[in-house]
Amino acid sequence: MIVTKDGNTFGRSTLSNNQLKQHVLQLVSTELQLDTDTIYTLSFDYKTESPLDDFSIKIGSGIHYNIMSSVLWVTPTISWQTASFEFSPAMHVDSIFFEFAGHEYDSMDFDIDNILITTESVDDDDPDDITSVDLTIKAVSGSTAPVIYANGRNQLPVEISAKAMKENADGSESVLIFSHATWIHILNLRHAGSDEKLTWQGRSGWCFTDAENDYSREVAAENNEAGPVLASAIRYMGTGETLITLYVYTDDISTERVAVSIDTEGGKHFTTADNASGAERSSVTVRAVQPITYLKSDLIQDVVSDLGKTQISLHYSCDDDSWSEKIDAHYDNLYFSVKNKLQKYTVNNYGQDGKSDYRIPLRAAIYWRADNHDQHMLIANPDDIPAGTATLGFYGKATWHEFFAIGDSTGIYDLFQTFEFNARPDTICWTHFSFAASQHWILPGGKDLHVNDTDLYNFDANPWFEFYDLYGNYGAFNIRYNDTTHEIEVDPR
């Protein structure tokens, strides 16, 4: 097995691409020898705070740009992922560098951890050969009293330090080497008081998993801010010790001491619980607190009013008169957030979302005419659309018969607005279009503008939004127009 020099190389970089050059992250190891007649597996852990595009990986040596047959590419996500590639070097080398580079980025922060190169001949040792272990557990953050929310989603990353030995015939000991998959198979988390197992990837009670989710962070005691946790799936240390990250979660409001055990297919059991067997006692005390049920009072609301002031066109025609005029228009952006910040959100029920009335215009959720005949629209801004500018709305038309006219009369509004949206991170943004009524012309009683060339008017798709905060606490709210207060309001769903 060949690993990077310290067994735990970690790098963070901001990649940017300007007109001069492309910035890259290079990690150098001067003590790795690779041969041309061997197939190697390169693996590493990676994630990013803001995924934009793929980035490339190359292994070079000296003046040689890439000793692999091709450039490798990965697509980063906000959760830790493991990449693995096989390659055979084009030449023998005594030192190498790993290069990670962005492709047509504006900017990108990313984390690289646990770079590992192995040969295909490396096999696992047999866990049933274990005769003694060094085994401990702690919170990855180092906290001695970690706190999580008991919502079944908030995870506490815990670090297992494990070293498995085999006693040889001469009385000496050899360190056994296991793959990540083997370690995950033989490790269990347990209730320290009873040595009972936590449920592996369970749905209720105290559970654990090796899969990190979007809510893997502990609750800090001060200001409810997330404590920064940077966890790698597995790290092989030079002393034979292996560090493995597992994740504890629960929907029980309680405090538990969590221990760790190694359990083999042959029935060997090494535990750090209170009845420690084959290992020293070791546990981490985890407090799971009442999850947040979000109410309207928990929402942080901010309205930025009178944006994008402009004028749109009104056209009127009948058999003996025809004219056009400009009508004042503007938009308001409504922002919603929470104290714990949003990890993800979804807006629902709006035009052309695949679920609502097909006649509703793109991203429009509500359209109404106020008592003074002003026209209004509520526009949804989905989370998968980055901050930007758009022009949305619809063409509105109403036709009616006038008794003394030869032909019908027609009123037309051009109800489009150019607006900016999703400009604030960690917030949900809805946009409210307002179009002022004309002092010269309003629709006759009982007449409504029709949307585009359909028979639809004054629609309400019953929009709502849902979100999870940094810790996986959930909230869902309806958003609507109040025809009494003439305000946009939200209510718990």
Side-chain angles (χ1 to χ4, degrees), residues 15 151 201 203 271 427:
L15 294 181
N151 56 29
Q201 297 183 344
R203 294 178 177 269
T271 181
T427 62

Side-chain angles (χ1 to χ4, degrees), residues 289-435:
V289 299
Q290 176 74 46
I292 298 174
T293 301
Y294 278 105
L295 305 175
K296 182 177 179 179
S297 58
D298 296 314
L299 289 179
I300 301 171
Q301 303 183 45
D302 185 26
V303 179
V304 183
S305 303
D306 296 328
L307 299 171
K309 290 184 177 181
T310 187
Q311 291 188 316
I312 55 100
S313 298
L314 160 68
H315 310 284
Y316 171 84
S317 67
C318 67
D319 63 322
D320 59 358
D321 192 15
S322 181
W323 48 264
S324 297
E325 68 175 61
K326 296 292 185 179
I327 296 177
D328 290 335
H330 72 275
Y331 69 91
D332 305 332
N333 273 338
L334 296 79
Y335 292 99
F336 299 93
S337 59
V338 293
K339 180 180 178 182
N340 281 345
K341 296 184 181 179
L342 302 183
Q343 178 67 26
K344 63 171 61 174
Y345 68 88
T346 305
V347 295
N348 302 283
N349 294 2
Y350 54 87
Q352 300 183 32
D353 63 353
K355 298 175 288 185
S356 302
D357 191 324
Y358 73 94
R359 297 170 297 175
I360 298 177
L362 178 65
R363 286 170 53 184
I366 308 175
Y367 165 64
W368 69 95
R369 188 177 73 182
D371 294 339
N372 63 356
H373 298 278
D374 285 356
Q375 315 293 313
H376 296 268
M377 248 181 286
L378 183 66
I379 303 295
N381 298 307
D383 65 301
D384 59 350
I385 301 178
T389 301
T391 300
L392 297 176
F394 65 86
Y395 157 88
K397 179 180 180 180
T399 302
W400 64 94
H401 179 71
E402 293 190 23
F403 183 77
F404 295 105
I406 297 175
D408 290 339
S409 296
T410 302
I412 298 173
Y413 273 129
D414 181 16
L415 296 176
F416 284 89
Q417 268 272 53
T418 298
F419 67 107
E420 296 181 356
F421 58 91
N422 286 352
R424 298 184 182 181
D426 306 319
T427 62
I428 300 169
C429 177
W430 292 81
T431 301
H432 174 198
F433 288 176
S434 295
F435 304 95

Side-chain angles (χ1 to χ4, degrees), residues 13-16 48 50-53 55 76 105-110:
S13 178
T14 298
L15 294 181
S16 62
T48 181
S50 53
L52 294 175
D53 207 341
F55 64 82
Y105 288 89
D106 292 324
S107 64
M108 180 176 172
D109 295 331
F110 71 100

